[in-house]
Amino acid sequence: ALAEGSTATASPEQGDKLGVMAGSGAAWPDGLLDSARIEALILSGFVLGSFLLLVHGLCGRSFTQAGGRAAKVCVELQRKSFHMIGGCLVCATYHWGVKCGALTPAFPPCGAIGGGGRRGAAGGEEALDAGMCFLACSLVSWILEASRLMIPSVQRWYLGSFRGLVREKELQKAAGIAYFLPGALVAMLAAPKDVAVLGILFLSMGDAAASLGTAAGRIPVGASSRKVEGSIGCFVVCFAIAAYTGLPVGVAGIASSLVTLGELLAEVIGLDDNFVIPILGVLGVRLGLCPQIFSLMAVMGSTLGIGVLLGA
């Protein structure tokens, strides 16, 4: 498989940005995304998250007193500001960690696994495996969440320290961070660095748009708590991010549609979108590069048929 930094040549039919996802051992096109624009988006996420936090600090009390949708938007402003800043922190750590040589990509060049670590930019020490680092962070978050849920004193400290950020449904279950890090890790393992970072940005910014749109929206999606305005906001933000990084319009549309659909369905069926969105973002890009709609429909139909037979 092609990975970032490879020097494999391409035939004339493979020369554009779309490249080819080979039928076996799917190859990611080299130079698919503009790395400089990825960096700009990460920095923009920090700025936007800080701005949302500032708006909450300045207007939060008046929004809360107004009640109704204004109060809901106020709550989401605080939550999603931290959500966006935290997501961009993960992106920044992975992107610049690999760029400066402190980390090796979780999605390595073919044959790199087991071949020893890469030397750091300063020489001497080997670079750390990004996959192992983020797995360690995920395990720490799980241990902390388990401690919170099993030890009342830890729960009291947590609720006192992060009041306003904890959703009611998270009082007796793991918080979003316990799903965020594993979802980001899977994206890193499944695709080259810039594509993985794009998937995490879908979660950091697209999910924020979905939550704010739902808080302010009026048109429900069926009987769910989601609003049409939230889904539209998620799609528009994800599409803008994908197109800005250099994805072809068609690929950006497919990836954004899959993320938006997954964000909605995850809420309806009880999955955590913090885990689902980065994975669907990466898969959406892959699907856009190598459309297999009929094959996917055949698999979905077969799976549905098996499910019906098992339930009969």
Side-chain angles (χ1 to χ4, degrees):
L2 290 180
E4 292 168 333
S6 65
T7 58
T9 58
S11 65
E13 292 77 17
Q14 296 171 319
D16 60 6
K17 268 190 172 181
L18 279 176
V20 170
M21 299 289 281
S24 59
W28 292 91
D30 201 22
L32 177 64
L33 302 179
D34 187 328
S35 186
R37 292 191 173 191
I38 287 283
E39 294 176 358
L41 284 170
I42 295 173
L43 295 175
S44 298
F46 281 119
V47 173
L48 182 57
S50 301
F51 175 75
L52 293 179
L53 195 59
L54 177 62
V55 171
H56 176 269
L58 294 175
C59 307
R61 179 171 297 181
S62 59
F63 281 7
T64 301
Q65 292 175 348
R69 291 187 181 83
K72 293 180 180 179
V73 170
C74 175
V75 172
E76 291 302 328
L77 279 174
Q78 183 181 24
R79 287 173 179 162
K80 293 309 171 181
S81 62
F82 284 100
H83 180 86
M84 192 176 298
I85 293 171
C88 289
L89 181 61
V90 171
C91 292
T93 301
Y94 186 42
H95 177 80
W96 276 291
V98 171
K99 186 174 181 178
C100 73
L103 298 174
T104 58
F107 181 85
C110 185
I113 296 178
R118 189 178 69 194
R119 292 290 173 184
E125 304 210 356
E126 289 186 347
L128 297 173
D129 185 320
M132 293 299 101
C133 289
F134 282 98
L135 175 60
C137 293
S138 299
L139 291 175
V140 169
S141 72
W142 290 354
I143 292 170
L144 292 176
E145 283 299 306
S147 300
R148 173 178 75 85
L149 295 173
M150 294 189 296
I151 304 174
S153 59
V154 177
Q155 176 80 303
R156 287 194 295 272
W157 167 82
Y158 183 88
L159 295 178
S161 301
F162 300 100
R163 182 175 52 195
L165 299 179
V166 183
R167 298 183 186 275
E168 185 176 347
K169 66 180 182 180
E170 295 175 343
L171 295 176
Q172 300 302 324
K173 61 172 288 189
I177 186 65
Y179 301 96
F180 194 120
L181 289 173
L185 174 59
V186 174
M188 294 174 191
L189 293 169
K193 173 177 64 68
D194 284 347
V195 179
V197 169
L198 178 63
I200 302 169
L201 287 173
F202 283 158
L203 172 59
S204 303
M205 299 184 182
D207 182 55
S211 295
L212 291 171
T214 292
R218 297 174 177 271
I219 308 172
V221 180
S224 73
S225 60
R226 292 293 180 181
K227 299 294 190 294
V228 171
E229 292 88 343
S231 294
I232 293 174
C234 180
F235 176 82
V236 170
V237 169
C238 289
F239 181 83
I241 290 173
Y244 178 73
T245 59
L247 277 183
V249 172
V251 179
I254 291 173
S256 303
S257 298
L258 189 59
V259 167
T260 302
L261 179 62
E263 192 274 339
L264 174 61
L265 292 179
E267 176 70 21
V268 172
I269 66 179
L271 294 176
D272 195 291
D273 55 10
N274 291 291
F275 181 74
V276 170
I277 289 178
I279 301 172
L280 290 181
V282 168
L283 291 177
V285 174
R286 178 167 176 165
L287 179 62
L289 293 171
C290 183
Q292 300 181 25
I293 303 299
F294 293 109
S295 298
L296 287 175
M297 291 178 64
V299 172
M300 291 172 65
S302 300
T303 304
L304 179 61
I306 293 172
V308 172
L309 289 175
L310 290 176

